[in-house]
């Protein structure tokens, strides 16, 4: 049979990141292209013990169908966390448990965006969410990133020129892929513009807890008095991504629509892993655990930056993230970035070409993403040395 | 803020079943409205032991990100199962692990159906999948069910009159909600018509293994020589629904598109529960386990039918399913079915109004769905007795 696919899916290519991830399952390649949390950050013993307790105390609850909104005890715990830890007043908001933060992008877009509507995003931004928006036929408009977040003048210009904009998508902390943190002033400005132009903001915050230097900046959601923000948090980076448990906080009417969308998508998130997250919050010291992970990432990030500063051609620049998993390197003017990435893979080091993260993949781009959480320290030293030689040969 | 939701989500109401399920969390109501597998069908000890083994042998594998297509060992095991147990040749097909069978409907529709295209479904049919199709702006055309499946003359008429039909949706075994099994002849005819009119069939088979009487009928997918069928199987009914693990089998080009769609939807299905399913298939006797479950359901179904035949007004008819979880009762002509269902809930017995399962909810309907897997035997006897009194008072 000759297959005729839907317009939305025909326009989508497989995520370059997932394809590269598959390539990096080759154990001979140093995985700077991945986005995996460090395996030694997983609290394996605790999760294993918690799971034994769940099967001992409530096996049927762990295996039976549950409600779409999420495991009630986990929802309550997340509401507490969001209100007391992140300063989001929950009176006007509601919370839904979702299957990874990726589903937050999917459901937000499903609820708000018609085919042909505009979604404004940071440029570069997380390809997984950009593709989710594309899968609903959204038109993406990218706003260049500056050192402290989106260029807000260009954001307002885009809002003026695209009156059918429904959503501004931002990752304010240690952004994927750039590692950039949006300043308080720009967060306030993004919210002000969302209110002025009557659009919603999706604040995607998977990395926010993984701060290893500098001062925490209030979330946009914590300043949201008029119901313009969907906040998405996740257990993927602070606990483990294989669990596929995250949560979205938004005004009640929007969460009601996202719940209807989730009924259609997967009925509910795996209940066993929801219970694991709930038991972890109830019985473990989250602050101490996050401190431990942040220490791991601080050291790994510092090691990678030290190696880059020592080994790379000085013509290559890089960001200095205050947290998260990624940094962003930019080659000198005139450099062929895709050629560099291909040479890197041939030399057994995988990085992600920056172009993969752009709203319009035909925009010129001299940057690439490097991940410091997945590789071992030994591989960070070795991989950066290989890349460094390449940069010195070429630039 | 005044929220403006997308057209697709504005047209959707919360699933009546999910809402009723919430109502039935009141322990005082007898849950004939649910669709839960019987808790004593869960192999709790085995799953608990398997989970301990996973955390002992491969904890990082269970917690880390994985690939979108699914845990490789589970995919291999499911391919074996599908090829050797269900007679589906895998050479031209591919298999993807999905987050419950519900995601099979979501991804199939995402890949094939544009807004305004037609999806043909059995009438009545499973509301969860109908809503998934609606959430993509599909137009639903329902084909009345006969004792042996869809009225195929009306199916051909619909295909002729809706040239933008992209998908025929069928649950051939012990259909939800009717309990009807589609005959071999009609399965062949559905496939022939799909080929003739160049459309795809989604064969949703969550209940197929739960046969407790009669002879197994070959799947439509096993007869699919020309790549017209998406087959969806699930671990929800044979193992446990809270795991959220199912699989879809389809021609390779379609699975490639569904994989891209799944990247956007939830990246991958929870890895721990995928590993649980894989270990269950590898180390337990699936046939013996299914035999045990089927015995449970045979007894529960027979008990419910015996009670109905004894207690209900003879003017109320019911189907006699050969497997699955549901039977379908029809009130006499002139009866007000919604009024009956409301009186039932007031009398603390929940059933699902048949109208919830129709492509067009304004079609007249005198039927309701009853589930025999969730209630205890005691509650089956008590609940049918309460309903029986109602039927005798009213008809």
């Amino acid at each position: 049979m000759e297959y005729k696919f839907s317009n939305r899916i025909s326009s989508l290519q497989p995520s370059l990141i997932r394809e590269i991830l598959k390539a990096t399952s080759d154990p001979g390649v140093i995985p700077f292209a991945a986005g995996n949390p460090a395996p030694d950050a997983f609290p394996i013993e605790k999760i294993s013990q918690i799971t034994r307790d769940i099967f001992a105390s409530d096996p049927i609850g762990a295996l039976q169908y549950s409600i779409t909104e999420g495991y009630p005890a986990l929802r309550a715990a997340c509401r507490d966390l969001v209100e007391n830890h992140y300063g989001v007043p929950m009176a006007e908001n509601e919370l839904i448990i979702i299957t990874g933060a990726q589903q937050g992008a999917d459901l937000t877009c499903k609820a708000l965006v018609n085919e042909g509507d505009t979604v404004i995003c940071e440029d570069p931004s997380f390809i997984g969410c950009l593709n989710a928006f594309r899968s609903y036929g959204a038109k993406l408009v990218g706003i260049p990133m500056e050192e402290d977040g989106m260029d807000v003048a260009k954001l307002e210009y885009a809002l003026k020129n695209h009156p059918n904009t429904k959503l501004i998508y931002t990752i304010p902390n240690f952004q994927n892929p750039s590692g950039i943190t949006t300043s308080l002033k720009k967060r306030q400005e993004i919210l002000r513009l969302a209110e002025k132009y009557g659009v919603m903001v999706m604040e995607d915050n998977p990395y926010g807890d993984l701060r290893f230097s500098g001062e925490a900046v209030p979330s946009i959601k914590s300043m949201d008095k008029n119901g313009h923000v969907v906040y998405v948090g996740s257990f993927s980076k602070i606990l483990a991504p294989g669990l596929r448990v995250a949560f979205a906080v938004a005004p009640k009417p929007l969460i009601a629509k996202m719940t209807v969308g989730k009924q259609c998508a997967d009925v509910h998130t795996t209940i066993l892993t929801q219970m694991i997250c709930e038991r972890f919050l109830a019985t473990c010291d989250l602050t101490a655990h996050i401190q431990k992970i942040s220490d791991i990432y601080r050291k790994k990030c510092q090691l990678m930056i030290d190696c880059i500063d020592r080994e790379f051609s000085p013509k290559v620049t890089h960001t200095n993230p205050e947290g998260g998993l990624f940094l962003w390197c930019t080659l000198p003017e005139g450099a062929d970035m895709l050629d560099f990435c291909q040479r890197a893979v041939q030399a057994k080091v995988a990085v992600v070409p920056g172009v993969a993260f752009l709203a319009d993949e035909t925009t010129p781009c001299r940057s690439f993403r490097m991940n410091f959480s997945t590789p071992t320290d030994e591989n960070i030293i070795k991989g950066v040395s290989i890349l460094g030689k390449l940069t010195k040969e070429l630039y």
Side-chain angles (χ1 to χ4, degrees), chain A:
Chain A
M1 180 182 180
E2 193 69 36
Y3 297 102
K4 218 182 141 187
F5 298 111
S6 67
N7 301 335
R8 77 179 76 80
I9 210 82
S10 300
S11 71
L12 265 183
Q13 295 307 313
S15 152
L16 204 53
I17 291 189
R18 309 280 346 144
E19 296 306 309
I20 289 172
L21 256 182
K22 269 195 248 174
T24 57
S25 70
D26 171 359
V29 170
I30 294 178
F32 294 164
N36 290 357
D40 45 347
F42 298 155
I44 289 170
E45 268 315 304
K46 281 174 186 165
I47 293 179
S48 173
Q49 179 60 49
I50 283 170
T51 309
R52 278 198 296 276
D53 293 347
I54 290 169
F55 278 119
S57 63
D58 188 12
I60 291 168
L63 296 173
Q64 189 57 280
Y65 277 119
S66 187
I67 56 172
T68 302
E69 291 82 350
Y71 177 54
L74 178 62
R75 284 181 82 206
C78 288
R79 270 195 296 257
D80 270 5
L81 193 70
V82 164
E83 187 140 28
N84 300 320
H85 192 72
Y86 305 128
V88 176
M90 286 301 297
E92 299 297 311
N93 290 296
E94 195 42 276
L95 184 146
I96 183 175
I97 304 296
I98 51 182
T99 308
Q102 181 70 39
Q103 194 176 49
D106 181 84
L107 296 178
T108 302
C109 197
K110 192 189 275 273
L112 292 173
V113 179
N114 284 319
E115 272 187 50
D117 283 346
T118 294
V119 173
I120 294 180
C121 58
E122 295 161 344
D123 216 18
S125 185
F126 173 50
I127 184 173
C129 287
L130 300 191
N131 277 342
F133 304 143
R134 290 179 179 123
S135 81
Y136 286 96
K139 180 182 167 179
L140 294 183
V141 173
I143 306 298
M145 285 295 268
E146 301 175 314
E147 266 181 29
D148 59 347
M150 271 189 271
D151 179 331
V152 288
K154 289 193 173 146
L155 172 59
E156 178 148 26
Y157 182 84
L159 285 163
K160 258 187 208 154
N161 282 277
H162 298 278
N164 63 343
T165 298
K166 295 293 169 62
L167 193 63
I168 301 170
Y169 173 65
T170 176
I171 309 169
N173 291 308
F174 333 123
Q175 197 234 23
N176 178 1
S178 69
I180 289 169
T181 295
T182 299
S183 66
L184 177 59
K185 205 178 147 202
K186 284 202 168 169
R187 292 179 195 217
Q188 290 164 336
E189 188 63 7
I190 290 167
L191 182 57
R192 189 186 69 81
L193 291 173
E195 291 179 346
K196 179 172 173 186
Y197 290 90
V199 306
M200 293 294 292
V201 175
M202 177 176 159
E203 180 178 27
D204 192 9
N205 193 25
Y207 316 109
D209 288 313
L210 305 180
R211 174 176 285 279
F212 46 69
S213 68
E215 287 297 313
V217 186
S219 68
I220 305 174
K221 184 68 188 163
S222 69
M223 303 181 273
D224 177 32
K225 305 287 176 226
N226 300 305
H228 281 267
V229 182
V230 184
Y231 177 92
V232 177
S234 173
F235 290 94
S236 289
K237 305 305 186 292
I238 58 172
L239 210 49
L243 302 173
R244 310 308 299 131
V245 180
F247 56 88
V249 177
K252 288 176 182 174
L254 178 54
I255 290 291
K257 292 297 182 187
M258 290 169 73
T259 305
V260 171
K262 186 169 167 65
Q263 284 176 352
C264 299
D266 65 2
V267 188
H268 65 77
T269 295
T270 305
I271 185 76
L272 174 60
T273 53
Q274 289 191 65
M275 291 170 96
I276 290 173
C277 293
E278 190 277 327
R279 286 287 85 200
F280 188 86
L281 291 179
T283 63
C284 299
D285 182 342
L286 184 66
T287 309
H289 174 66
I290 285 173
Q291 186 63 51
K292 190 190 141 197
I293 306 177
S294 303
D295 287 345
I296 294 173
Y297 291 155
R298 178 188 301 107
K299 284 179 197 148
K300 282 185 171 290
C301 181
Q302 198 52 56
L303 176 63
M304 184 172 268
I305 286 178
D306 288 347
C307 290
I308 287 175
D309 289 343
R310 194 174 58 235
E311 309 268 356
F312 273 28
S313 156
K315 292 181 189 158
V316 181
T317 61
H318 63 82
T319 55
N320 288 294
E322 295 186 331
L325 311 180
F326 305 106
L327 55 84
W328 185 245
C329 294
T330 302
L331 300 175
E333 256 184 73
D336 182 339
M337 181 271 297
L338 283 176
D339 174 68
F340 176 83
C341 294
Q342 272 167 344
R343 285 170 191 259
V345 161
Q346 281 158 12
K348 300 285 181 191
V349 184
V351 301
V352 187
V355 74
F357 303 98
L358 299 182
D360 172 359
E361 293 187 0
T362 64
T363 309
C365 180
R366 288 179 284 117
S367 301
F368 57 92
R369 189 188 77 177
M370 287 178 71
N371 164 261
F372 48 80
S373 61
T374 311
T376 59
D377 290 357
E378 195 192 348
N379 270 338
I380 289 177
I381 295 167
K382 191 173 157 194
V384 172
S385 167
I386 292 169
L387 294 181
K389 280 199 196 83
L390 257 182
T391 63
K392 286 180 179 163
E393 279 167 34
L394 291 166
Y395 316 116

